[in-house]
Amino acid sequence: MGSAQSEPPAAEDNRDYWVNHLGATLRARRSGRFTVEELSARSGVSAGLISQIERGIGNPSFATLLRLANALEVPMADMFLGQQSHETKVLVRREERLRMELPGDGIVQEMLVPNTDRKLGVLEMTIPPGFRGEDVPHSHPGEEVVVVLSGTLRATIGGQAFVLGEGDTMSYDSSTPHWWSNENEEPAVILAISTPPSLGRVH
């Protein structure tokens, strides 16, 4: 799967690559299902911004993409990967991880399972300094586990805030509203595990 996907351009072209890729994927996911206006009404994202994203001239934030993915009822990963192959696969090599980058916020996600058709969702996420997730609190059926691999994460679960350092683990009922933030000067790298896999609603 990873070997079939082209590598994003490096350095200064990386942001333009993801903006254009997201625009094409959003248009493909929406076409035949919703008009721009209908998707706007479902997601709470303005029709003008949706049109900009689809034309590759927007700079979508994490909150915007999450709302669009939820409105389309697709995993957040599918917003970056387009149509997936659902072939049976049990091994994901490090270099084959499906990598997703959110240009508006600098969040990087790597999927550690072969595709989103699983009973268990596993992501390695890099959350940049200054990211605040309270604008998109979420609740959804299931359970989640968060493991901090490096850095410091602030997790708010049901209104109660916790600060997690390297090696700390948190598990919770994901039907409780929750979000994550990074209030420090260094990126936070975390492992996020959810069952069943959420539609991107892990922060």
Side-chain angles (χ1 to χ4, degrees):
M1 181 180 302
S3 59
Q5 183 174 332
S6 59
E7 290 295 324
E12 67 274 7
D13 294 331
N14 197 53
R15 178 193 170 278
D16 289 340
Y17 169 86
W18 284 111
V19 169
N20 289 326
H21 184 78
L22 284 166
T25 302
L26 174 60
R27 186 168 56 251
R29 289 289 182 182
R30 177 186 61 78
S31 296
R33 299 180 62 199
F34 309 109
T35 65
V36 170
E37 290 73 20
E38 288 170 340
L39 182 58
S40 174
R42 287 174 61 92
S43 65
V45 177
S46 73
L49 181 54
I50 292 173
S51 294
Q52 286 184 345
I53 295 170
E54 289 192 355
R55 286 180 287 157
I57 60 175
N59 187 23
S61 68
F62 172 81
T64 295
L65 292 175
L66 187 58
R67 291 186 179 109
L68 289 170
N70 292 341
L72 290 167
E73 298 182 340
V74 300
M76 172 70 89
D78 284 9
M79 297 292 289
F80 295 82
L81 307 173
Q83 298 294 330
Q84 290 181 266
S85 167
H86 295 293
E87 65 181 357
T88 300
K89 187 174 180 181
V90 296
L91 174 65
V92 178
R93 301 287 186 189
R94 184 177 184 88
E95 64 273 12
E96 293 179 338
R97 290 181 184 179
L98 298 174
R99 185 177 186 275
M100 306 151 263
E101 184 172 334
L102 294 98
D105 293 311
I107 292 177
V108 175
Q109 304 185 37
E110 292 187 349
M111 204 159 70
L112 307 190
V113 291
N115 55 52
T116 54
D117 265 0
R118 298 279 160 156
K119 296 179 181 179
L120 187 70
V122 187
L123 292 173
E124 182 178 295
M125 299 182 64
T126 300
I127 302 176
F131 175 77
R132 302 186 64 86
E134 64 264 31
D135 290 341
V136 280
H138 281 285
S139 60
H140 50 92
E143 291 186 273
E144 291 182 344
V145 176
V146 175
V147 184
V148 178
L149 303 179
S150 65
T152 304
L153 179 76
R154 183 180 180 90
T156 303
I157 314 294
Q160 185 175 4
F162 303 87
V163 177
L164 287 74
E166 182 175 342
D168 290 345
T169 302
M170 166 172 278
S171 57
Y172 50 90
D173 181 341
S174 53
S175 65
T176 303
H178 55 279
W179 64 90
W180 306 335
S181 301
N182 181 3
E183 301 174 352
N184 299 280
E185 297 180 356
E186 298 295 329
V189 181
I190 66 174
L191 196 64
I193 304 163
S194 60
T195 181
S198 67
L199 296 182
R201 304 180 182 93
V202 293
H203 353 23

